[in-house]
C-alpha cells in the first residue's frame, strides 16, 4: 500500500475502532433517523396512493439531518482533545487526512442508512432494497460526506459549531438532495435505469466536484 | 533522517519572524538560532508569544513574515520534512482516549510510515516505563501516565529535534528524570531541544542555553554555564518587569 493510502487506511481504522468502543456517531445518527421516520409516519398517515410521493422525501430528510449530526461529531472528537493538532504534526499530506476522515464518516453514515431501511420498509410498506435506491444512497452519501467533512473542519473552529455546520452545508447540498429524492422515488416505484440516469449523473458530477474541491481546500481550512 | 535542503549547520534558525493575528502582533521581528545538540529553554511571561513561537516552529501556524528553518528545512517550502524531523509535546496529551496506549502509538507510527512498528513501540514504551500499560485505554490511565504515553508518542519516530511546550506538567519525579535522560537522548545521539516552561528550576536544570522571550522578541539569550539562578532572576526581572 502506498504512503497515501496507508495513511488513509490508518485514519479510517482509527475512527472505526474508536467508534466501535463508543458508538457515539452511529447511535446518535441512527436514533435521529429512526425517530424522524416514525414521527413523519404518524404525522402524515400516508395512504397507499400517497406513499410513493412522500416516502422518498421523508427518507432523505431523515438521512440529511442525521448526517449533519454525525458530521458534527467527526471533528469534535478530534478537536476537543487536541488530537487534530496531533494529526497535523504528522508528515502526512492534508489530502490524505481529508480522505481518511471523509471515508470514516461515509462508513458511519452508510451503516446507519442500511440499518434504517428495514424500519422504513415496515413503516411505509415499501420494498427499499432495490439496486437503484442503494446506488442513489451510495452516491448521495459520498457527495454529502465529501462536502460535509470540509465544512465540519471549518465549523469546528467557530464558537457555534453545531449551528454553523448545517448553515454552511445544507444550502450547498440541497440540489443533490433534491436529485436524490427524485431518483429514490423513481427507484421505489420500480422505474428503469434510464429514467434515473439524469439524476444519477447529476449526483455523480456533484460528487466529483465536491471531492476535488474539498480535498484542495482542506489544507487552507486547517492552516491557522 | 535529516535530509537538509540547504544550510543545516543549525537545528533551528529563525530570522525576522513576525506573527500577527489581525492587528495584534504576537511575534515581532524575532531572531533565534539553536545549534545541533543544544537544549534551549525559553522563559517568558504569559502572553509573551512562547506558544505561538512553538506553533510556528511545529508548522502549525504560518509566519506572517520572516524565515524559519527547522532541522535544515525551510518552513515555507518543505513543512512535511520538518514534521518528519520534530517531536512535539504540548500541554495536551494529543492522544485518543478511547484507544489503548498501544493503538495510539501504532496509529502515530503508521502516520509516520514507520517500519518494524511493534518492536519500535515496545522499545519506546520500555524506555518510558509504560510497557505494562500498553493494553490499557488511555482514558483509564492517570494524568502522569498519559503524559508518559504522550512523550513516547513524540519520540517514537526518533526525531532529532524536540519542541516541548511545558512538558513537565503532570509528570512525577521519575518521569521528569526520563525527560532529562531518555527523551533527550535519541538513537542517533543527543537531540536538539527547544523547551518553553514556567518552571525556572526545571528549565535551568535541563538546559545548556536559556533565553527570555518578551513582547514577541528574544530579549536575552545566554549559555546556562555563564548564569546562575540568582543572576537569571535579575535578568528576567529587568527584561520582563516581572519578578520570579
Amino acid at each position: 500500500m502506498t504512503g497515501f493510502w496507508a495513511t488513509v487506511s490508518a485514519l479510517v481504522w482509527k475512527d472505526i475502532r474508536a467508534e466501535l468502543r463508543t458508538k457515539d456517531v452511529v447511535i446518535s445518527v441512527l436514533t435521529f433517523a429512526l425517530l424522524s421516520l416514525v414521527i413523519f409516519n404518524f404525522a402524515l398517515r400516508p395512504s397507499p396512493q400517497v406513499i410513493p410521493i412522500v416516502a422518498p422525501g421523508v427518507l432523505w430528510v431523515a438521512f440529511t439531518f442525521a448526517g449533519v449530526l454525525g458530521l458534527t461529531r467527526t471533528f469534535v472528537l478530534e478537536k476537543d482533545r487536541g488530537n487534530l493538532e496531533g494529526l497535523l504534526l504528522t508528515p502526512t499530506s492534508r489530502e490524505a487526512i481529508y480522505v481518511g476522515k471523509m471515508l470514516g464518516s461515509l462508513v458511519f453514515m452508510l451503516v446507519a442508512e442500511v440499518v434504517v431501511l428495514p424500519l422504513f420498509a415496515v413503516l411505509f410498506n415499501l420494498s427499499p432494497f432495490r439496486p437503484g435506491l442503494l446506488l442513489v444512497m451510495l452516491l448521495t452519501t459520498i457527495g454529502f460526506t465529501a462536502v460535509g467533512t470540509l465544512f465540519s473542519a471549518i465549523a469546528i473552529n467557530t464558537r457555534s459549531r453545531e449551528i454553523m455546520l448545517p448553515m454552511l452545508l445544507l444550502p450547498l447540498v440541497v440540489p443533490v438532495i433534491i436529485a436524490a429524492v427524485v431518483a429514490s422515488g423513481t427507484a421505489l416505484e420500480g422505474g428503469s435505469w434510464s429514467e434515473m440516469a439524469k439524476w444519477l449523473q447529476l449526483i455523480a458530477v456533484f460528487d466529483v466536484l465536491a471531492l476535488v474541491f474539498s480535498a484542495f481546500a482542506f489544507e487552507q481550512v486547517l492552516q491557522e | 533522517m535529516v535530509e537538509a535542503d540547504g544550510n543545516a549547520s543549525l537545528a533551528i534558525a529563525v530570522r525576522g519572524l513576525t506573527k500577527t493575528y489581525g492587528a495584534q502582533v504576537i511575534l515581532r521581528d524575532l531572531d533565534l538560532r539553536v545549534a545541533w545538540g543544544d537544549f534551549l529553554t525559553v522563559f517568558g511571561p504569559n502572553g509573551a508569544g512562547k506558544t505561538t513561537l512553538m506553533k510556528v516552529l511545529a508548522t502549525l501556524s504560518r509566519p506572517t513574515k520572516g524565515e524559519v528553518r527547522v532541522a535544515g528545512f525551510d518552513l515555507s517550502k518543505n513543512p512535511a520534512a520538518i514534521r518528519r524531523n520534530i517531536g512535539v509535546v504540548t500541554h495536551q496529551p494529543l492522544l485518543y482516549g478511547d484507544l489503548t496506549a498501544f493503538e495510539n502509538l501504532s496509529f502515530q507510527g503508521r502516520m509516520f510510515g514507520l517500519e518494524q512498528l511493534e518492536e519500535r513501540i515496545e522499545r519506546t514504551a520500555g524506555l518510558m516505563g509504560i510497557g505494562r500499560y500498553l493494553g490499557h485505554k488511555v482514558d483509564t490511565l492517570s494524568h502522569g501516565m498519559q503524559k508518559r504515553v504522550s512523550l513516547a508518542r513524540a519520540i517514537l519516530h526518533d526525531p532529532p529535534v524536540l519542541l516541548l511546550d511545558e512538558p513537565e506538567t503532570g509528570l512525577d519525579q521519575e518521569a521528569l528524570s526520563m525527560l532529562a535522560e531518555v527523551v533527550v537522548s535519541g538513537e542517533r545521539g543527543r537531540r536538539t531541544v527547544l523547551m518553553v516552561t514556567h518552571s525556572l528550576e526545571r528549565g535551568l536544570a535541563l538546559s545548556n542555553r536559556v533565553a527570555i522571550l518578551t513582547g514577541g522578541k528574544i530579549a536575552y539569550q545566554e549559555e546556562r554555564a555563564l548564569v546562575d539562578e540568582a543572576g537569571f532572576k535579575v535578568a528576567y526581572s529587568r527584561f520582563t518587569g516581572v519578578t520570579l
Side-chain angles (χ1 to χ4, degrees), chain A residues 15-219:
Chain A
D15 279 354
I16 289 176
R17 205 183 286 257
E19 178 61 20
L20 285 174
R21 299 215 172 116
T22 63
K23 300 172 185 69
D24 275 354
V25 177
V26 169
I27 285 182
S28 56
V29 168
L30 257 180
T31 307
F32 189 91
L34 292 174
L35 277 176
S36 305
L37 289 181
V38 172
I39 290 168
F40 272 120
N41 185 262
F42 279 93
L44 298 172
R45 291 174 188 272
S47 62
Q49 293 77 27
V50 177
I51 281 176
I53 300 167
V54 298
V58 170
L59 186 66
W60 281 103
V61 166
F63 284 167
T64 304
F65 286 99
V68 170
L69 202 63
L71 284 167
T72 307
R73 295 293 301 159
T74 304
F75 274 95
V76 167
L77 296 173
E78 297 286 357
K79 182 77 178 178
D80 283 354
R81 302 178 64 111
N83 291 322
L84 187 57
E85 210 164 82
L87 267 185
L88 298 178
L89 286 168
T90 65
T92 187
S93 74
R94 277 38 188 157
E95 289 85 1
I97 295 177
Y98 166 76
V99 174
K101 295 302 293 179
M102 181 258 166
L103 286 178
S105 298
L106 179 67
V107 168
F108 300 146
M109 265 195 81
L110 287 175
V111 167
E113 288 176 6
V114 168
V115 174
V116 162
L117 275 187
L119 181 74
F120 174 73
V122 172
L123 289 174
F124 291 90
N125 197 24
L126 287 167
S127 171
F129 292 98
R130 297 164 188 267
L133 180 65
L134 296 179
L135 183 62
V136 173
M137 282 168 54
L138 176 65
L139 287 178
T140 308
T141 310
I142 288 173
F144 186 83
T145 50
V147 183
T149 302
L150 176 70
F151 284 138
S152 182
I154 294 172
I156 202 69
N157 288 317
T158 63
R159 252 179 289 179
S160 49
R161 57 195 180 195
E162 285 83 5
I163 301 167
M164 193 56 74
L165 178 61
M167 277 178 60
L168 292 169
L169 177 63
L170 293 179
L172 201 73
V173 295
V174 158
V176 82
I177 297 295
I178 291 171
V181 169
V182 178
S184 301
T186 309
L188 286 169
E189 287 179 77
S192 65
W193 285 104
S194 59
E195 287 176 82
M196 294 170 62
K198 67 177 175 187
W199 300 109
L200 289 174
Q201 283 168 1
L202 191 143
I203 299 168
V205 168
F206 179 89
D207 288 0
V208 172
L209 292 176
L211 279 168
V212 172
F213 172 77
S214 300
F216 279 114
F218 195 67
E219 178 166 10

Side-chain angles (χ1 to χ4, degrees), chain B residues 122-135:
Chain B
E122 299 284 343
R123 193 167 60 242
T124 309
L127 287 172
M128 297 308 303
I130 55 169
R132 294 192 291 137
Y133 301 97
L134 280 177

Side-chain angles (χ1 to χ4, degrees), chain B residues 10-215:
Chain B
L10 292 167
I12 299 172
V14 177
R15 199 167 63 184
L17 172 62
T18 297
K19 178 69 189 177
T20 60
Y21 290 105
Q24 199 180 0
V25 183
I26 309 296
L27 299 175
R28 195 184 302 269
D29 201 23
L30 182 147
D31 292 330
L32 180 68
R33 294 157 70 84
V34 184
W36 288 105
D38 268 0
F39 192 131
L40 171 71
T41 300
V42 178
F43 297 92
N46 290 334
K50 302 188 296 294
T51 297
T52 303
L53 173 63
M54 294 299 255
K55 282 193 167 185
V56 171
L57 295 176
T59 76
L60 291 172
S61 185
R62 280 188 189 141
T64 307
K65 211 173 75 182
E67 287 172 34
V68 176
R69 297 182 76 83
V70 180
F73 296 98
D74 189 330
L75 177 66
S76 63
K77 291 179 187 157
N78 206 346
I82 292 178
R83 288 179 209 123
R84 208 170 289 124
N85 286 284
I86 60 171
V88 181
V89 176
T90 71
H91 338 244
Q92 291 184 298
L94 309 181
L95 300 169
Y96 294 94
D98 297 315
L99 301 185
T100 65
F102 182 87
E103 287 166 347
N104 268 283
L105 295 176
S106 175
F107 174 66
Q108 175 79 356
R110 291 179 69 186
M111 296 301 278
F112 275 85
L114 301 181
E115 289 172 1
Q116 295 170 315
L117 189 52
E118 285 204 17
E119 281 173 39
R120 195 181 273 263
I121 291 171
E122 299 284 343
R123 193 167 60 242
T124 309
L127 287 172
M128 297 308 303
I130 55 169
R132 294 192 291 137
Y133 301 97
L134 280 177
H136 293 222
K137 259 173 69 174
V138 164
D139 269 349
T140 65
L141 298 175
S142 68
H143 184 59
M145 204 50 71
Q146 286 186 18
K147 197 78 185 200
R148 289 190 193 204
V149 180
S150 179
L151 285 168
R153 182 195 149 281
I155 62 169
L156 187 68
H157 56 292
D158 193 29
V161 178
L162 279 179
L163 303 173
L164 311 177
D165 192 353
E166 297 186 36
E168 71 281 2
T169 316
L171 287 180
D172 56 21
Q173 200 53 48
E174 188 192 351
L176 284 169
S177 303
M178 282 178 183
L179 181 69
E181 295 162 19
V182 179
V183 175
V184 172
S185 307
E187 286 168 31
R188 287 164 293 126
R190 193 174 168 77
R191 300 184 212 276
T192 304
V193 183
L194 177 66
M195 177 169 85
V196 299
T197 181
H198 285 292
S199 169
L200 180 67
E201 185 192 357
R202 185 58 49 189
L204 292 178
L206 291 172
S207 47
N208 71 324
R209 291 186 69 81
V210 288
I212 296 169
L213 176 65
T214 183

